[in-house]
Amino acid sequence: MEGGSIEIRGRTVDEAIHAALDQLGVTRDDVEIEILSEGRSGVFGVGSQDARVRVTVIGDEYDEDEEYDEGPARPLAATDLDEIEEGELEQEDEEAAEAEEAEEEEEEEEEEEASVATAPSVSEEQTEAAREALEHMLDLLEFPNLVTVRNVQRDRGTTNVLLDVAGDDVGLLIGRHGETLASLQFLLNACMGQTLPRNARVIVDVEHYRDRREQSLRGIAMRTADRVRRERRPVTLDPMPPNERRIIHLTLQANPYVSTESTGEGPERRVVVSPKAGPPSRRPSYGYRRG
């Protein structure tokens, strides 16, 4: 018999062990021996008892602490190695992308803090002077008005003093596509050139016209980009002042399907939206791009 565990009896322990080794076909070094009973000789044969031992071949007993082995391991195939390598590369790419994104966010925060720090400070007296100057200009134009300071913004090294104008028939003050409002703002900044610090300017708004106009321009930009993406041909927009062209450029800056550029001279300068090289996608993505 080869392998296993048996219990066997003998007149003595040694006799039982030898018998077990003979039966198992192994040597004493190959087994573990447990003496269950050493036996006794009795008196004149009365009360005698055989020795009893359990002999177990080493390695054949199942160890509950060891993991069950279902069989020989299958050699790794080339596809397995590819999958392992691909998984490791994907994990490394994700970690690298997360690190890069965190670094970019940190750089943007630092740039924003630096830009705010370099923007000039505008005092309350200077802000009030700009408000009074605009109010006086509107009085000279015989335009009933109420001028208020909305806020003072510091961004990208520039400080903007935003003034709001409320009054009757504000359409006359705004003009076609905001041309009259832009001229009024230009004159006001020219008058305040000696009062406000360098890189500070006044923004004039009429009953939140600029906010509404900006939303309208963003809508125009996105609809135009969608049209260009579908038709795969450039589209030229109507002439716009510099601040409105900038909104178009910023709105489409990160759009993967179109690019923008300004063309023309003076009042006829306008934005051209052109398709980028490559096949169109079903779902456009809108972002910001400076042209």
Side-chain angles (χ1 to χ4, degrees), residues 198-211:
R198 186 178 180 182
N199 293 333
R201 62 174 183 168
V202 183
I203 304 296
V204 181
D205 198 3
V206 177
E207 295 185 354
H208 295 274
Y209 163 79
R210 291 188 182 278
D211 292 339

Side-chain angles (χ1 to χ4, degrees), residues 123-136 149 163 188 192 195-196 202:
S123 65
E124 292 184 5
E125 291 77 8
Q126 292 170 324
T127 301
E128 180 62 19
R131 190 197 68 78
E132 291 179 353
L134 177 59
E135 196 172 64
H136 183 60
V149 179
L163 301 180
L188 178 60
M192 297 299 298
T195 304
L196 295 178
V202 183

Side-chain angles (χ1 to χ4, degrees), residues 3-6 24 26 30-34 54-61:
S5 175
I6 62 173
L24 292 172
V26 294
D30 298 327
V31 298
E32 290 181 350
I33 300 172
E34 181 180 1
R54 178 182 294 122
V55 179
T56 303
V57 178
I58 297 174
D60 282 2
E61 185 176 0

Side-chain angles (χ1 to χ4, degrees), residues 45-288:
V46 179
S48 64
Q49 185 176 3
D50 291 337
R52 186 163 58 91
V53 298
R54 178 182 294 122
V55 179
T56 303
V57 178
I58 297 174
D60 282 2
E61 185 176 0
Y62 176 74
D63 187 351
E64 294 182 355
D65 294 333
E66 294 182 358
E67 184 178 358
Y68 178 68
D69 186 3
E70 296 182 351
R74 177 177 64 85
L76 288 175
T79 54
D80 297 327
L81 295 175
D82 291 341
E83 291 177 358
I84 294 174
E85 183 177 359
E86 182 178 354
E88 293 176 348
L89 290 175
E90 289 179 354
Q91 183 177 0
E92 291 177 357
D93 290 343
E94 291 178 359
E95 294 175 352
E98 292 176 357
E100 183 177 355
E101 183 177 353
E103 184 177 352
E104 289 178 354
E105 291 178 356
E106 184 177 353
E107 290 178 354
E108 289 177 359
E109 292 177 358
E110 292 177 354
E111 290 178 359
E112 183 176 354
E113 292 176 357
S115 66
V116 171
T118 57
S121 298
V122 177
S123 65
E124 292 184 5
E125 291 77 8
Q126 292 170 324
T127 301
E128 180 62 19
R131 190 197 68 78
E132 291 179 353
L134 177 59
E135 196 172 64
H136 183 60
M137 291 173 63
L138 295 175
D139 289 339
L140 293 175
L141 294 173
E142 298 183 352
F143 184 85
N145 66 88
L146 174 63
V147 180
T148 57
V149 179
R150 184 188 301 178
N151 57 31
V152 178
Q153 299 175 337
R154 302 176 67 188
D155 182 35
R156 301 185 182 277
T158 302
T159 300
N160 296 324
V161 179
L162 183 55
L163 301 180
D164 266 330
V165 180
D168 298 330
D169 199 9
V170 293
L172 293 176
L173 190 60
I174 295 172
R176 181 177 179 272
H177 296 319
E179 292 176 353
T180 304
L181 186 61
S183 298
L184 180 64
Q185 179 175 294
F186 176 80
L187 292 175
L188 178 60
N189 278 281
C191 294
M192 297 299 298
Q194 299 299 322
T195 304
L196 295 178
R198 186 178 180 182
N199 293 333
R201 62 174 183 168
V202 183
I203 304 296
V204 181
D205 198 3
V206 177
E207 295 185 354
H208 295 274
Y209 163 79
R210 291 188 182 278
D211 292 339
R212 297 193 304 272
R213 179 59 176 167
E214 180 174 344
Q215 293 299 320
S216 175
L217 289 170
R218 290 184 183 279
I220 291 172
M222 291 187 289
R223 289 192 297 272
T224 302
D226 190 45
R227 176 184 170 188
V228 170
R229 182 184 61 85
R230 291 195 317 268
E231 299 179 1
R232 304 298 299 167
R233 62 181 182 84
V235 173
T236 302
L237 300 179
D238 292 334
M240 297 179 186
N243 64 304
E244 294 191 352
R245 294 198 306 272
R246 181 174 181 272
I247 293 173
I248 300 295
H249 291 310
L250 290 174
T251 302
L252 300 179
Q253 176 178 345
N255 190 299
Y257 310 109
V258 301
S259 61
T260 61
E261 64 176 342
S262 294
T263 184
E265 299 294 336
E268 293 301 314
R269 194 161 176 80
R270 59 191 73 200
V271 177
V272 179
V273 183
S274 304
K276 288 183 179 179
S281 175
R282 295 182 179 180
R283 299 179 64 183
S285 174
Y286 299 105
Y288 301 91

